[in-house]
C-alpha cells in the first residue's frame, strides 16, 4: 500500500464523487453519498470499482454520479506582482 504522497508522485489525483441514489425503503426519495479516493484519470479504475461494489452489494440503486478529479501536485504557478500595499 502506497502513501498518499507516493500516489500523487505517480500521477494519481484526488477523485471526489457525489452519488445520488434511491432510498431502499422509500424508492421515490433520493439521498446523496460523497466518496473520495486517489485515482488515475482518465480511466478512474477505483471509482468504477466502487460503483460496481455499490451495484452488487448495496440495496439503494444509483440515480446518478457526479465526479471531479484534481491533481494535487502540479507545477507551481508564478505571477509577476507589480505594486505594493502598505498598512499603517
Amino acid at each position: 500500500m502506497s502513501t498518499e504522497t507516493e500516489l500523487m508522485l505517480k500521477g494519481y489525483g484526488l477523485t471526489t464523487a457525489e452519488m445520488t441514489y434511491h432510498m431502499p425503503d422509500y424508492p421515490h426519495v433520493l439521498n446523496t453519498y460523497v466518496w473520495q479516493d486517489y485515482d488515475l484519470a482518465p480511466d478512474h479504475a477505483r471509482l468504477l470499482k466502487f460503483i460496481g461494489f455499490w451495484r452488487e452489494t448495496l440495496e439503494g440503486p444509483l440515480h446518478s454520479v457526479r465526479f471531479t478529479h484534481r491533481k494535487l501536485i502540479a507545477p507551481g504557478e508564478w505571477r509577476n506582482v507589480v505594486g505594493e500595499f502598505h498598512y499603517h
Side-chain angles (χ1 to χ4, degrees):
M1 184 127 215
S2 300
T3 66
E4 291 176 2
T5 305
E6 290 172 340
L7 288 173
M8 287 186 278
L9 290 173
K10 292 178 183 176
Y12 283 75
L14 186 64
T15 301
T16 304
E18 178 189 39
M19 293 155 183
T20 304
Y21 64 96
H22 296 273
M23 296 289 291
D25 295 336
Y26 305 97
H28 298 292
V29 177
L30 295 174
N31 201 4
T32 59
Y33 178 79
V34 176
W35 173 90
Q36 282 188 328
D37 200 357
Y38 289 95
D39 208 353
L40 282 172
D43 298 332
H44 299 289
R46 291 185 181 188
L47 175 59
L48 295 176
K49 181 178 176 183
F50 182 76
I51 291 173
F53 165 79
W54 184 294
R55 288 181 173 170
E56 293 173 8
T57 309
L58 302 179
E59 293 180 17
L62 287 172
H63 175 270
S64 60
V65 177
R66 292 187 322 163
F67 73 96
T68 184
H69 178 83
R70 169 110 176 149
K71 284 191 173 187
L72 301 177
I73 294 181
E77 293 182 10
W78 182 87
R79 63 184 182 138
N80 186 18
V81 177
V82 179
E84 203 172 302
F85 293 99
H86 294 279
Y87 290 101
H88 28 312

